[in-house]
């Protein structure tokens, strides 16, 4: 299927076998004129070091070869669509195809790819750009809203508008637990609901979401167990997190860390965690490529597919990690 998309002699496919007992065929696909040979060699050396009984899914390989194995951010992309694999090969990336599994690994993987959708390139670029900007906004909402709200009502109450502060105080009357415990319990309740909905049959999953989100939430507020403002803040964060599914794990941990930091240190804790996260992201690498290479030399061409999706007429160059950066026309 990849060959059908890329009818070029430049397409290289190399096979290796991994697994003591499964002896699973694994194929390395790349375009020789675009992929950096150093990245290909790095991938091959990591694949040779894998020592395991069997490879039953591509994730077995991903966990063994990825950078920052204990990190919460992805450094290897996954997809089940051959057109997406072909598009990434055309950008100078490498694909790892595991026999018997539909998921294909693509690398190097950049931080900006977490906010890209496969459908962005099949709709008008203006619509795709609006959707992508919304994903960036939703990521910050998902990570920061519960912690910031908790910091404001516990450490910086004077920063709230007077009428809003009075409303929050009135609605919190009679709530038997602290704001911190209330926030944590709601976060875990939403995670339980999300996981239950994913693992239930589709029709039961929708019913569970309605019952858990509306009926139980409304009953808890009515009974005075939780306050409505905290429920709204956590619900907004949970809904915003659904906009960036590739960062769902990172969103959960970052949201929890922010809540803990804000409960202890207020807004200072939020800014400290945010600063550490930014420093961590800018120091990460994916198979020798800077995780934030898109931001390293910010100009029109390098940012054409980061915060927005430029029109195809403006897509003149490939990403910075490609051996041949000229996508169309001539270099300027």
């Amino acid at each position: 299927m990849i060959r059908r998309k890329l009818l070029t002699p430049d397409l290289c496919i190399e096979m290796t076998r991994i697994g003591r007992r499964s002896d699973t065929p694994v194929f390395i696909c790349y375009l020789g004129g675009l992929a950096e040979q150093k990245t290909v060699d790095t991938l091959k050396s990591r694949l040779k070091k894998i020592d395991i009984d069997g490879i039953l899914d591509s994730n077995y390989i991903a966990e063994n070869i990825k950078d920052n194995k204990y990190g919460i951010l992805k450094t290897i992309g996954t997809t089940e669509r051959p057109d997406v694999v072909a598009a990434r090969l055309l950008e100078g990336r490498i694909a790892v195809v595991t026999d018997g599994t539909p998921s294909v690994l693509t690398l190097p993987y950049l931080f900006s790819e977490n906010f890209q959708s496969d459908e962005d390139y099949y709709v008008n670029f203006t619509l795709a750009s609006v959707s992508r900007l919304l994903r960036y906004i939703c990521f910050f909402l998902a990570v920061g809203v519960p912690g910031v709200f908790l910091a404001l009502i516990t450490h910086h109450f004077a920063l709230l508008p007077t009428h809003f502060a009075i409303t929050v105080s009135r609605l919190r009357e009679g709530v038997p637990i602290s704001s911190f415990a209330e926030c944590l319990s709601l976060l875990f309740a939403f995670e339980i609901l999300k996981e239950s909905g994913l693992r239930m049959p589709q029709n039961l999953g929708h019913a569970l979401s309605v019952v858990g989100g509306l009926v139980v939430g409304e009953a808890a507020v009515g009974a005075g167990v939780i306050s409505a403002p905290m429920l709204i803040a956590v619900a907004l964060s949970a809904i915003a997190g659904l906009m960036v599914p590739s960062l769902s794990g990172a969103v959960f941990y970052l949201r929890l860390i922010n809540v803990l930091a804000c409960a202890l240190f207020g807004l200072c804790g939020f800014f400290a965690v945010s600063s550490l996260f930014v420093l961590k992201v800018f120091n990460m690498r994916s198979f020798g490529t800077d995780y934030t290479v898109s931001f390293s030399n910010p100009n029109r061409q390098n940012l054409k597919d980061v915060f927005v999706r430029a029109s195809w007429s403006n897509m003149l160059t490939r990403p910075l990690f490609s051996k041949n950066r000229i996508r169309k026309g001539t270099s300027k």
Side-chain angles (χ1 to χ4, degrees):
M1 296 177 74
I2 296 174
R3 285 187 183 276
R4 289 180 181 178
K5 296 287 184 182
L6 299 173
L7 299 175
T8 170
D10 198 28
L11 178 61
C12 304
I13 300 179
E14 304 178 19
M15 189 191 78
T16 184
R17 292 182 177 274
I18 303 176
R20 292 181 177 180
R21 289 181 169 81
S22 66
D23 200 29
T24 306
V26 177
F27 302 89
I28 304 171
C29 307
Y30 60 94
L31 294 177
L34 300 181
E36 283 285 354
Q37 188 59 42
K38 183 179 179 181
T39 307
V40 177
D41 294 339
T42 301
L43 172 62
K44 290 179 182 178
S45 65
R46 294 186 186 185
L47 289 175
K48 288 180 182 179
K49 294 178 181 178
I50 297 178
D51 186 11
I52 193 172
D53 275 351
I55 299 293
L56 305 181
D57 186 77
S58 58
N59 189 60
Y60 285 55
I61 297 176
E63 288 194 13
N64 281 280
I65 67 173
K66 70 177 183 178
D67 299 77
N68 196 16
K69 294 184 179 181
Y70 302 102
I72 60 176
L73 294 172
K74 293 171 55 177
T75 55
I76 297 178
T78 57
T79 182
E80 297 181 6
R81 297 177 53 167
D83 57 330
V84 175
V85 176
R88 292 179 179 175
L89 292 181
L90 287 171
E91 290 186 336
R93 290 183 171 86
I94 308 169
V96 180
V97 184
T98 306
D99 186 37
T101 177
S103 296
V104 176
L105 307 178
T106 59
L107 54 99
Y109 187 82
L110 307 182
F111 180 70
S112 58
E113 290 185 66
N114 292 307
F115 303 94
Q116 298 173 359
S117 172
D118 300 337
E119 287 73 26
D120 286 351
Y121 305 94
Y122 299 107
V123 297
N124 185 272
F125 69 95
T126 55
L127 299 176
S129 298
V130 172
S131 298
R132 190 170 297 179
L133 287 173
L134 282 175
R135 293 185 202 114
Y136 277 97
I137 294 172
C138 286
F139 171 71
F140 293 110
L141 290 177
V143 170
V145 167
V148 170
F149 182 73
L150 180 63
L152 289 174
I153 64 175
T154 54
H155 295 276
H156 311 283
F157 205 71
L159 295 178
L160 292 174
T162 304
H163 294 291
F164 183 65
I166 294 173
T167 302
V168 171
S169 300
R170 178 172 54 82
L171 293 175
R172 272 204 53 80
E173 289 181 1
V175 176
I177 57 178
S178 66
S179 298
F180 174 62
E182 181 185 12
C183 185
L184 279 184
S185 61
L186 283 173
L187 287 176
F188 283 110
F190 271 103
E191 286 299 318
I192 292 171
L193 282 173
K194 185 179 73 173
E195 292 298 321
S196 302
L198 289 175
R199 283 155 179 75
M200 294 288 288
Q202 187 174 5
N203 54 345
L204 294 178
H206 292 315
L208 180 64
S209 300
V210 173
V211 172
L214 295 179
V215 179
V216 176
E218 182 65 26
V221 172
V225 178
I226 58 175
S227 63
M230 184 63 75
L231 177 62
I232 294 172
V234 175
L236 176 62
S237 173
I239 295 171
L242 300 177
M243 284 286 288
V244 281
S246 60
L247 286 172
S248 58
V251 165
F252 172 74
Y253 289 112
L254 288 172
R255 183 192 291 148
L256 188 60
I257 294 171
N258 266 325
V259 167
L260 294 173
C262 290
L264 294 174
F265 308 107
L267 291 178
C268 293
F270 171 75
F271 290 121
V273 171
S274 300
S275 301
L276 290 174
F277 174 72
V278 172
L279 290 174
K280 175 66 176 177
V281 169
F282 274 86
N283 279 282
M284 288 179 61
R285 302 181 71 85
S286 175
F287 289 83
T289 302
D290 288 337
Y291 199 48
T292 55
V293 68
S294 306
F295 310 101
S296 62
N297 184 18
N299 56 45
R300 181 180 177 184
Q301 278 302 309
N302 292 340
L303 297 176
K304 64 185 180 301
D305 199 23
V306 180
F307 299 107
V308 297
R309 202 273 279 181
S311 62
W312 286 115
S313 60
N314 291 319
M315 293 277 196
L316 304 180
T317 61
R318 296 185 178 89
L320 290 170
F321 55 79
S322 178
K323 185 190 300 184
N324 180 2
R325 295 205 59 212
I326 306 305
R327 189 194 300 269
K328 59 183 292 187
T330 57
S331 61
K332 297 183 179 179

